[in-house]
Amino acid sequence: MRTIKSKVFSPAIRIVVLMIITTGVAYPLLVTAIGQTVLPSQSNGSQIILDGKVVGSQLIAQNFNSTKFFQPRNSTDSGSGVDPDITPDSAISQIPAISSVTGIPANALKTLVELNIAHNQETNALAFAPDYVNVLNLNIELAKQYPEVYAQEVSAKGGT
């Protein structure tokens, strides 16, 4: 009886071990290797680097503790809570407060916002592509153009 059970369970055990190796080790390594080769930026989280340090991701909203920076949408305004983009109107509505805190002229901030407006052509037809502003990119550009205003914030966090 013992030899019959071992003959019956032996193939099942071999298949389970083979599937664990295939799906738990080989497949993840293969997908990682392909991703790193074909899409290295996306595979590493679309990181944005400032002065040699990672300051955020192109795809995920970051919180900015300083009132000197543009702020992303509230999580209640964004379905996922991680949307990195705001509308141009939302960015423009933040200009008076940022100008007041930083002393940067409002028209300079408006120009910066307008230069950072992009079109969402990937997910919509070109005719219906809404405009948006990536908050992290906008804040990095702000810190680059006005280093004296943002020196403390940039040095404190190694970026925005």
Side-chain angles (χ1 to χ4, degrees):
M1 188 77 152
R2 184 171 172 94
T3 57
I4 295 174
K5 284 187 180 180
S6 65
K7 287 181 181 181
V8 171
F9 289 117
S10 180
I13 292 172
R14 280 187 264 157
I15 289 174
V16 167
V17 170
L18 179 64
M19 292 307 295
I20 289 172
I21 292 170
T22 303
T23 61
V25 178
Y27 180 75
L29 289 175
L30 177 66
V31 170
T32 301
I34 291 171
Q36 289 294 324
T37 303
V38 177
L39 303 166
S41 175
Q42 293 88 336
S43 295
N44 292 316
S46 302
Q47 298 172 342
I48 295 179
I49 299 172
L50 178 64
D51 296 331
K53 296 179 182 176
V54 176
V55 295
S57 170
Q58 180 78 20
L59 305 173
I60 301 174
Q62 278 83 55
N63 289 324
F64 296 91
N65 296 327
S66 175
T67 56
K68 293 181 179 181
F69 290 110
F70 287 89
Q71 301 298 316
R73 289 192 264 189
N74 293 329
S75 61
T76 57
D77 295 339
S78 172
S80 65
V82 295
D83 189 358
D85 306 319
I86 58 175
T87 64
D89 290 339
S90 178
I92 289 170
S93 73
Q94 296 180 44
I95 288 174
I98 294 169
S99 178
S100 173
V101 172
T102 63
I104 299 170
N107 61 347
L109 291 170
K110 185 173 182 184
T111 300
L112 187 64
V113 168
E114 289 171 352
L115 290 172
N116 279 279
I117 292 174
H119 300 285
N120 192 0
Q121 298 175 0
E122 296 173 4
T123 58
N124 296 305
L126 183 58
F128 302 107
D131 294 338
Y132 67 91
V133 178
N134 183 288
V135 178
L136 181 59
N137 289 340
L138 180 60
N139 286 335
I140 287 173
E141 193 61 35
L142 196 59
K144 284 180 180 178
Q145 289 193 19
Y146 298 95
E148 66 283 352
V149 174
Y150 293 95
Q152 184 178 2
E153 286 81 4
V154 172
S155 67
K157 292 184 82 174
T160 57

